[in-house]
């Protein structure tokens, strides 16, 4: 099976995307076999992984330099002494529970080792900050329906902040795709646990509740990569980007079927709404950390829904920073789909800069001048660091601007086709790290009206 992985590493991004699209359309056994091999850690990754079997609170692994053989006492000292703890929840996977063991099927807490090791290294090299990652495994569909996966993430975060007593001001939560959805749900539930009763197992044909949840401290920041924020597939990016992305309507249908129990004829409309956060219009400051960074692909189907959520959170006072690149779903973690690797180097630099500012409680510098143009916009700014010109599709800016520009430009089909043709795969596009100013702002009436018009 290693031959598949070697072959994949040699494929150009366009071919990798087509392969992933094909794999996700295969029957589950074949898809599991291939994807499990593709995401298996390399030999060079092994020293970075300290596995944690199920201990009644969480399972997964600690990821850090030379952590594999650390004894419990030394590991705990390492965790307490580090500058940043990354609490990580990876994307979709499937598991079966057999006796006391968890047999993983697709995806693991080690599935993006190359990306995660890069984040840790950049934090140390650029800021002299020691970081370690708590990467969490969780029960997933179809064997375990909602809210089982959410409970696993809540318990793991509770272990980190209560049992291990790690100061939340040095925690940055990270999640990609469905993992980002679980992070959002965990933050929402733990800001006021009295609102929720998580039902976990069936006992003698009936449902039982798990231990009472406690309010947990919010982390210093959150980083989302291509977050799954709604089960709806009707946005413009779903219509426009299915031809580019490896996530399809079929994939979305399977996820919805696997995660949620089928609704009865008299079920309330909000039953099983694990992705109901996307329907909120306000209240984000009550459960989100003050600082959020999001990476999203211009060619992914989830783009518009993610930008819509970001716009509403930012309007509510969240310092939300959005990085958009001309890529497909989860490009920040699935690095094989990105051709220009310099783009990833700069994205890692933005990630490290965000984490540094989050744990040091540093606000973004204000933008003194900004102009937007192009299919997604070209941002030019001056903020005391000099003026930077950007590539056509690489942008970091206020999320409401991002969504408005996307919606406006998608009406210009001829421009869209020229910018997103297959020939783009053969064109190197250089991007430059950008910063933006977030927080309480005066929002453009024109932008708000544009978004509202498009949605109606």
């Amino acid at each position: 099976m290693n031959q598949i992985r070697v072959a994949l590493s040699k494929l150009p991004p366009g071919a990798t995307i087509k392969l992933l699209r094909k794999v996700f359309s295969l029957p589950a056994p074949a898809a599991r076999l291939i994807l499990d091999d593709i995401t298996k850690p390399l030999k060079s990754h092994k020293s970075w992984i300290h596995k944690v079997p199920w201990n009644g609170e969480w399972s997964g692994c600690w990821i850090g330099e030379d952590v594999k053989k650390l004894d419990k006492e030394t590991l705990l000292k390492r965790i307490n002494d580090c500058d940043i703890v990354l609490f990580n929840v990876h994307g979709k996977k499937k598991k079966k529970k057999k006796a006391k063991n968890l047999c993983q099927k697709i995806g693991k807490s080690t599935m993006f080792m190359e990306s995660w090791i890069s984040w840790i290294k950049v934090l140390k090299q650029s800021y002299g900050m020691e970081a370690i990652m708590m990467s969490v495994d969780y029960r997933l569909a179809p064997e375990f329906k909602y809210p089982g996966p959410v409970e696993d993430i809540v318990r793991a975060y509770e272990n980190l902040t209560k049992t291990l007593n790690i100061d939340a001001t040095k925690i940055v939560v990270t999640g990609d795709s469905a993992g980002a959805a679980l992070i959002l749900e965990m933050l929402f539930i733990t800001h006021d646990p009295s609102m929720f009763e998580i039902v976990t197992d069936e006992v003698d044909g009936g449902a039982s509740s798990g231990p009472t949840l406690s309010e947990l401290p919010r982390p210093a920041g959150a980083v989302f990569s291509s977050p799954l924020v709604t089960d709806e597939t009707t946005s413009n990016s779903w219509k426009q980007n299915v031809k580019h992305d490896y996530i399809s309507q079929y994939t979305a249908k399977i996820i919805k079927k696997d995660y949620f129990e089928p609704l009865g004829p008299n079920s309330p409309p909000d039953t099983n709404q694990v992705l109901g956060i996307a329907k909120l219009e306000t209240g984000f400051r009550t459960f989100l950390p003050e600082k959020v960074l999001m990476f999203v692909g211009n060619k992914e189907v989830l783009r518009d829904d993610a930008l819509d959520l970001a716009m509403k959170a930012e309007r509510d006072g969240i310092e939300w920073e959005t990085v958009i690149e001309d890529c497909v779903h989860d490009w920040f973690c699935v690095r094989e789909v990105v051709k220009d690797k310099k783009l990833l180097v700069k994205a890692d630099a933005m990630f490290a800069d965000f984490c540094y500012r989050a744990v040091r409680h540093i606000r973004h510098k204000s933008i003194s001048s900004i102009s937007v143009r192009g299919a997604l916009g070209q941002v030019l700014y001056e903020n005391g660091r000099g003026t930077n010109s950007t590539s056509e599709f690489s942008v970091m800016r206020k999320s409401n601007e991002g969504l408005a520009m996307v919606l406006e430009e998608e009406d210009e089909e001829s421009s869209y086709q020229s910018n997103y043709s297959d020939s783009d795969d053969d064109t190197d596009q250089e991007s430059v790290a950008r910063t933006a100013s977030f927080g309480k702002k005066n929002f453009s009436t024109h932008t708000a009206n544009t978004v509202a018009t498009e949605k109606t």
Side-chain angles (χ1 to χ4, degrees), residues 146-160:
Y146 172 78
V150 180
E151 186 202 26
D152 292 343
I153 304 309
V154 170
R155 295 300 179 205
Y157 188 70
E158 185 175 40
N159 176 270
L160 180 65

Side-chain angles (χ1 to χ4, degrees), residues 151-186:
E151 186 202 26
D152 292 343
I153 304 309
V154 170
R155 295 300 179 205
Y157 188 70
E158 185 175 40
N159 176 270
L160 180 65
T161 56
K162 297 294 186 181
T163 304
L164 299 183
N165 201 30
I166 300 301
D167 187 350
T169 61
K170 72 174 186 178
I171 298 173
V172 175
V173 294
T174 65
D176 68 286
S177 192
L182 293 175
I183 287 285
L184 284 166
E185 194 78 2
M186 179 272 289

Side-chain angles (χ1 to χ4, degrees), residues 89-381:
V89 182
H90 56 81
K92 184 175 183 289
K93 70 187 181 112
K94 295 188 177 183
K95 300 170 102 178
K96 280 189 176 181
K97 188 175 182 181
K98 295 182 179 180
K100 295 183 179 181
N101 298 319
L102 294 177
C103 181
Q104 301 165 8
K105 293 301 180 182
I106 293 183
K108 298 181 176 69
S109 55
T110 56
M111 66 187 302
F112 296 129
M113 288 301 301
E114 201 68 31
S115 302
W116 299 337
I117 289 174
S118 178
W119 299 352
I120 294 172
K121 285 183 175 180
V122 173
L123 279 166
K124 185 173 184 177
Q125 293 166 0
S126 298
Y127 297 96
M129 302 188 81
E130 296 290 340
I132 195 167
M133 175 181 285
M134 180 184 187
S135 188
V136 183
D137 274 332
Y138 54 93
R139 296 168 293 172
L140 274 198
E143 289 81 8
F144 297 95
K145 306 286 188 180
Y146 172 78
V150 180
E151 186 202 26
D152 292 343
I153 304 309
V154 170
R155 295 300 179 205
Y157 188 70
E158 185 175 40
N159 176 270
L160 180 65
T161 56
K162 297 294 186 181
T163 304
L164 299 183
N165 201 30
I166 300 301
D167 187 350
T169 61
K170 72 174 186 178
I171 298 173
V172 175
V173 294
T174 65
D176 68 286
S177 192
L182 293 175
I183 287 285
L184 284 166
E185 194 78 2
M186 179 272 289
L187 292 170
F188 187 68
I189 288 175
T190 57
H191 89 282
D192 186 3
S194 64
M195 297 169 58
F196 304 92
E197 180 185 38
I198 293 185
V199 180
T200 57
D201 299 304
E202 292 186 357
V203 180
D204 297 328
S208 65
S209 299
T212 303
L213 291 171
S214 60
E215 183 178 357
L216 301 179
R218 271 179 281 183
V223 180
F224 302 130
S225 174
S226 298
L228 174 66
V229 299
T230 178
D231 60 350
E232 296 180 2
T233 59
T234 56
S235 67
N236 284 341
S237 57
W238 266 101
K239 298 172 185 176
Q240 299 286 349
N241 288 341
V242 164
K243 58 189 175 185
H244 301 299
D245 210 351
Y246 59 87
I247 301 298
S248 65
Q249 289 281 358
Y250 173 80
T251 305
K253 181 179 179 180
I254 292 300
I255 291 175
K256 188 173 182 178
K257 177 183 176 182
D258 285 351
Y259 273 66
F260 304 113
E261 297 288 355
L263 300 181
N266 299 319
S267 299
D270 60 347
T271 301
N272 288 338
Q273 290 243 345
V274 64
L275 301 177
I277 288 175
K279 299 184 184 300
L280 294 177
E281 294 297 330
T282 187
F284 296 95
R285 292 187 67 181
T286 64
F287 66 93
L288 285 178
E290 291 184 2
K291 293 178 173 62
V292 176
L293 172 63
M294 179 176 73
F295 294 90
V296 66
N298 182 42
K299 288 185 175 181
E300 70 169 298
V301 293
L302 305 184
R303 181 197 65 198
D304 290 358
D305 295 315
L307 288 172
D308 187 36
L309 177 69
M311 178 192 68
K312 291 186 291 187
E314 189 179 39
R315 184 186 296 152
D316 214 28
I318 301 298
E319 294 182 48
W320 190 298
E321 306 166 33
T322 298
V323 180
I324 306 175
E325 294 289 357
D326 195 32
C327 300
V328 296
H329 179 68
D330 208 8
W331 62 270
F332 186 51
C333 292
V334 187
R335 307 202 156 191
E336 293 82 1
V337 301
V338 180
K339 180 177 182 180
D340 186 359
K341 302 307 179 185
K342 289 183 289 185
L343 181 154
L344 295 171
V345 172
K346 292 164 185 173
D348 286 344
M350 288 187 239
F351 171 87
D353 178 66
F354 171 84
C355 292
Y356 172 79
R357 287 184 285 106
V359 300
R360 292 288 186 259
H361 311 290
I362 300 172
R363 293 183 64 85
H364 247 317
K365 294 183 179 180
S366 297
I367 297 176
S368 58
S369 66
I370 188 167
S371 63
V372 182
R373 68 177 185 270
L376 257 184
Q378 184 175 30
V379 175
L380 306 176
Y381 70 91

Side-chain angles (χ1 to χ4, degrees), residues 8-24:
L8 181 67
S9 66
K10 296 179 180 180
L11 290 177
T16 301
I17 292 168
K18 292 178 181 178
L19 175 61
L20 288 175
R21 188 183 299 136
K22 181 65 176 177
V23 169
F24 279 112

